[in-house]
Amino acid sequence: MTTELTILGIESSCDETAAAVVRARGKVGVAQGPGAILSSAVFGQEDLHAAFGGVVPEIAARAHAERLDLVVRRALAEAGLGLDAIDAIAVTAGPGLIGGVLTGVMAARGIAAGAGKALIGVNHLEGHALTPRLTDGVDYPYLLLLASGGHCQLIAVEGLGRYHRLGSTIDDAPGEAFDKVAKMLGLGFPGGPEVERRAASGDPARFDLPRPLMDRPGADMSFSGLKTAVVRARDRLVAAQGGLFLRDVADLCASFQAAVAEVLGAKTARAMRAFRARHPGLEAPVIAVAGGVAANRALRGALEDAARAEGFRAVAPPLALCTDNAAMIAWAGAERLIAGEAPGEVRARPRWPLDESAAPVIGSGRKGAKA
Ligand code: KG4
Ligand code: ZN
């Protein structure tokens, strides 16, 4: 039996206020990608947080509260649909900054109650994890690298709700490291694009920065020591010459970016081997990326090289769907509803790991406690 669902998704767990309408089809309890994205509206908050060099939770929550109504109305208008055409509402219920998550959940509850619609709570990380199915119709199982400002995980996506973590950061997320390095060098926020721009004219070999955890087996990563090494190199230069020249900034950015790319490439290659061992029958397994850091060309290059060497097919969803958005939340909600999960009471969960059996990860990022 074929099911078709039109879902309104709502996302407000970090610094994007987003709503989207997605149509999903499924057969015998399994959603079949790609989905049809009828609209995807995202209001960013970068301007509100730029002066602070990072996301300020209270400011984020207030901005979500002010904009949620508007973004939902825009998503419906762009889809050319009224609420009556929506089958169910999916909202991010965690993990994330609690103020933002609560704001989204309350808004979604209100709309669902008012319009008499079913409501389902979605794990934000599951939204990212299932994006390759929404955009490219990728079949289970596949390997996912999620690299953003709040997350860094290598996950074997083996089925809906079946996630096996093969590696993750033990401290900072890579985007967080980019943001901190940018701040230390006096560059703007978010730092990733700024660092990439400066790195383009820099010498990646000038500073001998560490490649953290490379000497340890497995696919876990660490980026906080790398960031400290950049501070030390900066301080040495400032002590020696009284300040930084533009060339120094470019070389520091290039050396830092090269170190991150090398570590991510090598650790992803290890995760590919572990994935193959779990799924020996697959001919050309997929490695997909998600998260804002996937925008970085050096990192993407390192991943594509690793994929080629390991016989994997690299899938990179369009950037607007790699970063936080509500289409992925609508899709994840649709997958769950098609699989027969009953909608019902939605509660906010600030901490909500994808792989509940995995040991918790130490540290806390800009999205609050790491999942
Ligand atoms: O996925 P995302 O939009 O938000 C979450 O953190 O969930 O990712 C934003 C992060 C920021 O830390 C930003 O600096 C980083 O992604 N980023 C980049 C680039 N573009 C964005 N990092 C490195 N290179 C880039 N070009
Ligand atoms: Zn995210």
Side-chain angles (χ1 to χ4, degrees), residues 81-171:
L81 298 175
L83 265 178
D84 51 322
I86 299 293
D87 294 309
I89 298 169
V91 62
T92 301
L97 296 173
I98 187 64
V101 174
L102 273 172
T103 309
V105 167
M106 302 295 272
R109 273 200 206 148
I111 299 169
K117 303 289 171 185
L119 178 63
I120 188 157
V122 167
N123 182 321
H124 176 89
L125 297 173
E126 181 164 85
H128 280 302
L130 301 182
T131 297
R133 293 174 52 71
L134 163 65
T135 58
D136 292 77
V138 170
D139 286 328
Y140 297 120
Y142 54 92
L143 178 62
L144 180 89
L145 169 65
L146 171 57
S148 70
H151 308 289
C152 182
Q153 303 187 17
L154 282 154
I155 310 160
V157 182
E158 309 194 313
L160 181 60
R162 288 171 45 216
Y163 310 105
H164 181 79
R165 194 161 79 197
L166 294 169
S168 60
T169 181
I170 60 165
D171 40 52

Side-chain angles (χ1 to χ4, degrees), residues 148-150 175-176 178-179 190-193 196 291-293 295-296 323-324 366-367:
S148 70
E176 195 177 351
F178 269 93
D179 292 338
E196 180 172 21
V293 178
N296 187 288
T323 53
D324 287 350
R366 70 181 183 104
K367 285 203 148 189

